[in-house]
Amino acid sequence: MTPGPRKAAAYLGALAGLSLTLAACSSGADPAAYPEDDVEIVVPFAAGGPTDTVTRMIAEPMAQELGVQIVVQNVEGAGGTVAAGQVAAEDPDGYTVLMHHIGMSTAPALYGDALAYDPVADFRTVGLVTEVPMTIIARSDFEPDTLEDFVTYVQEHESEVTMATAGEGAASDLCGRLLTSALGVEVTVVPYDGTGPAMEDLVGKQVDFMCDQTTNTTTQITEGTVKAYAVTTPERIDALPDLPTTAEAGQPDIAVSVWHGLYVPAETPDEVVEKLTAALQTALADQSVIDQMAGLGTTPVEHDRATPEAHTELLTEQIATWSDVIGTQGG
Ligand code: MLT
């Protein structure tokens, strides 16, 4: 005997419900007992860069709060989209967490249908972490000394000038696009797996300039191993008080800071997300994290922004904003 269409539909519906439940428990994890094993935080860029630096700052205090080890894993490629796609497909059990930045909101406009995940539908947000200013920097022997001189030089030598980025979708790529588009130039883009390795080449004078986060540039700027032109925030920052803002240096449209947040796969249970959020909030209140971030030109977000609600609100607003900006620029 074959079931009628309504019975068949009910049966299929029950199966679908069962498979969702099974997906949540596929690793055998009990959300109430979470965490019982090491937690992995996936960084979508190379080790030694700004995303890696921020992740390693919060990993230890988060691990202490959770009572397990946190292992930081770097999965580079395609401006952070390889790692995000990989985490979206992981078991939704809280043992694989993604750290990502503003690139989570620019990827839909940049990659379109080629993006293997939906930043909103395929993840749950855990909370925001920090917002990092960016700096426009160059190799130490690059000819221009000020942003005003840089603008003139790049406009006159665009075919010779090289710009390092961490790939399409990276913050350095976004800031570089805003800058070159404001100057009306096309320079040669040199993509890296992250601005950690890009910085090595900039210090080694293999590439001309880069727009990168203060968490990766403050030490080199202070030590003089790179030349700095401007910071992309409305006000100067305490860590680099002599560095003018882009507005002061005549480029008010180059205004961007790089927000970071933690994500888990979409079906992760509430209890697990709540524990990760609490651990994140504890880490961001840790004095050593506050001090390390201050030394690199940034601060932890306020307590009420290290929440899924504030994070989701920013993510959805930023997807709409960057879709307009990138769409307008023909990105
Ligand atoms: C990194 O960690 O390498 C950066 O966040 C890259 C970037 O987005 O520019």
Side-chain angles (χ1 to χ4, degrees), residues 45-46 49-52 101 166 170-173 193-196 212-213:
F45 297 99
T51 317
D52 185 69
H101 63 28
S172 45
D173 178 64
D193 281 340
T195 51
D212 193 21
Q213 298 162 67

Side-chain angles (χ1 to χ4, degrees), residues 50-74:
T51 317
D52 185 69
T53 298
V54 165
T55 307
R56 288 177 199 275
M57 276 181 200
I58 63 168
E60 183 52 34
M62 278 187 75
Q64 277 174 19
E65 176 73 12
L66 291 169
V68 293
Q69 297 292 313
I70 290 187
V71 180
V72 176
Q73 184 76 32
N74 300 84

Side-chain angles (χ1 to χ4, degrees), residues 264-300:
V264 285
E267 301 299 333
T268 306
D270 290 348
E271 274 171 292
V272 171
V273 175
E274 281 159 18
K275 286 178 191 169
L276 284 167
T277 300
L280 172 63
Q281 291 173 339
T282 300
L284 296 182
D286 186 291
Q287 194 57 46
S288 110
V289 171
I290 296 168
D291 293 345
Q292 287 176 71
M293 285 198 185
L296 295 179
T298 190
T299 48

Side-chain angles (χ1 to χ4, degrees), residues 217-298:
T217 64
T218 301
T219 307
Q220 284 80 0
I221 293 171
T222 308
E223 291 175 354
T225 53
V226 297
K227 193 177 270 191
Y229 298 122
V231 62
T232 62
T233 40
E235 308 291 336
R236 292 189 184 204
I237 59 170
D238 290 345
L240 297 165
D242 298 332
L243 194 61
T245 66
T246 40
E248 285 176 302
Q251 296 297 326
D253 292 342
I254 318 301
V256 61
S257 61
V258 183
W259 54 272
H260 294 66
L262 293 177
Y263 302 80
V264 285
E267 301 299 333
T268 306
D270 290 348
E271 274 171 292
V272 171
V273 175
E274 281 159 18
K275 286 178 191 169
L276 284 167
T277 300
L280 172 63
Q281 291 173 339
T282 300
L284 296 182
D286 186 291
Q287 194 57 46
S288 110
V289 171
I290 296 168
D291 293 345
Q292 287 176 71
M293 285 198 185
L296 295 179
T298 190

